[in-house]
Amino acid sequence: MIIATLLRGLATLCWLALVGYMVWVVVERSRRRERKIRISVVAIILVLALLSSALASSIVVIDAGEVGVVFNAFSGTKDTPLYPGMHLIIPYVETVYRYTTQEQVYTMTKEPGATQLAYGAMQDDSLWSPTREGLQVGIDSSTRYAIDPRQAPHVHNSFRNTYVEVLIRPTIRSIVRHYVSQNTVTDIYGPKRREIQTAIERDIRERFEKEGFLLLSFDIRNVNFTPDYAQSIEQKQIAQQQAEQMQYVLQREQQEAERLSLIHI
């Protein structure tokens, strides 16, 4: 990075020196002084400027957490990516596109953040889908993923910077919706939740890997219900608690009656 900066600085100085020399000759001539443009001086400065500019353009430094994809104006995208470090490319013919290889997170929730809103998510970005018995449930989830550095050229050719809205979000929603429709509310909210989450994660990983992405984890954060169904669950829980309370009271009364009968004997 420092070398490239120094070369760009040298190229700038050379171009300024060339312009300055030409201006100086013109000014001197305007003062009726015999000044001629020396071809040798112009040639030396021009060669230094062109050489330093070309060298500066040929040096590319890929930072840690990045991968570079080289596009050649004549042959297209190169199959071999550029890993962190300094690399040489053909100046003015090849262009390097950078992609992050760091962990990225896509969250689908009832209250999406700025990232989700930027990719076209609605205010409620949780996934609502009918279960096997036809009841609507909303799934809040978080997906951690990263670009596979080895597959960066494929990502560049297929998606460029649109992979979130073209691949990540549609894939997650499609697979989650499939598994929600195959299970009941009790399965999703109850003991089978971990099993369902594992199956979803397996399918997402398989899909991502085909397109050059690594799935780090998939987590179901919350299961949401429609207001009517949530109310019915609450009423059911209240009724169950009342039944348990009544059973407890009846047991106490029965125990008290047995105790009194023993006393009278």
Side-chain angles (χ1 to χ4, degrees):
M1 194 69 175
I2 296 177
I3 297 176
T5 302
L6 290 175
L7 288 172
R8 278 192 290 268
L10 178 60
T12 302
L13 289 176
C14 289
W15 288 115
L16 290 175
L18 180 60
V19 173
Y21 176 70
M22 301 294 290
V23 170
W24 177 75
V25 172
V26 172
V27 170
E28 287 295 301
R29 284 190 172 185
S30 67
R31 295 175 179 176
R32 298 183 182 280
R33 297 176 182 176
E34 280 296 325
R35 298 293 181 187
K36 294 182 179 180
I37 297 177
R38 296 185 179 181
I39 303 300
S40 59
V41 174
V42 173
I44 291 173
I45 298 176
L46 184 61
V47 168
L48 286 175
L50 291 174
L51 184 61
S52 55
S53 296
L55 287 175
S57 299
S58 68
I59 297 176
V60 175
V61 177
I62 304 299
D63 294 332
E66 288 185 336
V67 64
V69 177
V70 181
F71 178 81
N72 187 289
F74 299 105
S75 60
T77 304
K78 289 189 173 182
D79 295 331
T80 304
L82 303 181
Y83 297 104
M86 187 172 71
H87 304 270
L88 294 176
I89 63 172
I90 303 174
Y92 313 119
V93 175
E94 295 181 337
T95 305
V96 176
Y97 295 88
R98 301 168 185 267
Y99 291 89
T100 180
T101 56
Q102 296 179 335
E103 173 187 313
Q104 301 180 65
V105 181
Y106 190 84
T107 300
M108 291 193 301
T109 179
K110 295 183 69 174
E111 298 180 358
T115 302
Q116 283 72 29
L117 292 174
Y119 287 115
M122 298 296 106
Q123 188 61 37
D124 182 354
D125 195 38
S126 58
L127 188 149
W128 288 89
S129 176
T131 60
R132 192 169 68 188
E133 65 265 59
L135 297 173
Q136 289 284 336
V137 295
I139 305 295
D140 290 355
S141 65
S142 289
T143 305
R144 296 168 51 246
Y145 66 96
I147 294 176
D148 184 349
R150 299 167 300 178
Q151 298 297 323
H154 173 75
V155 173
H156 177 77
N157 288 333
S158 301
F159 307 105
R160 296 291 291 270
N161 292 319
T162 65
Y163 53 82
V164 173
E165 61 265 38
V166 174
L167 174 71
I168 304 300
R169 187 171 185 267
T171 297
I172 297 169
R173 296 182 71 86
S174 174
I175 293 175
V176 171
R177 184 178 287 110
H178 169 74
Y179 278 96
V180 168
S181 66
Q182 299 298 313
N183 291 275
T184 64
V185 173
T186 304
D187 293 336
I188 298 169
Y189 194 74
K192 286 189 66 178
R193 175 168 167 173
R194 175 62 61 179
E195 179 183 337
I196 295 170
Q197 177 175 296
T198 301
I200 293 173
E201 183 173 348
R202 182 190 63 241
D203 286 7
I204 294 177
R205 175 174 288 107
E206 181 180 348
R207 175 79 171 104
F208 277 15
E209 288 179 352
K210 289 180 180 179
E211 300 296 346
F213 290 85
L214 302 173
L215 178 65
L216 306 180
S217 70
F218 171 82
D219 297 301
I220 296 177
R221 301 172 59 191
N222 193 27
V223 179
N224 305 305
F225 303 105
T226 60
D228 292 341
Y229 187 73
Q231 185 177 4
S232 68
I233 292 178
E234 183 178 356
Q235 291 174 348
K236 182 178 180 181
Q237 291 175 340
I238 293 173
Q240 185 177 358
Q241 291 174 356
Q242 290 175 342
E244 292 175 352
Q245 179 67 23
M246 182 61 68
Q247 185 178 5
Y248 173 75
V249 171
L250 291 174
Q251 288 178 349
R252 289 293 303 271
E253 291 178 351
Q254 183 179 0
Q255 291 174 355
E256 182 66 18
E258 291 177 354
R259 187 181 68 82
L260 291 175
S261 64
L262 290 175
I263 292 176
H264 289 93
I265 295 175

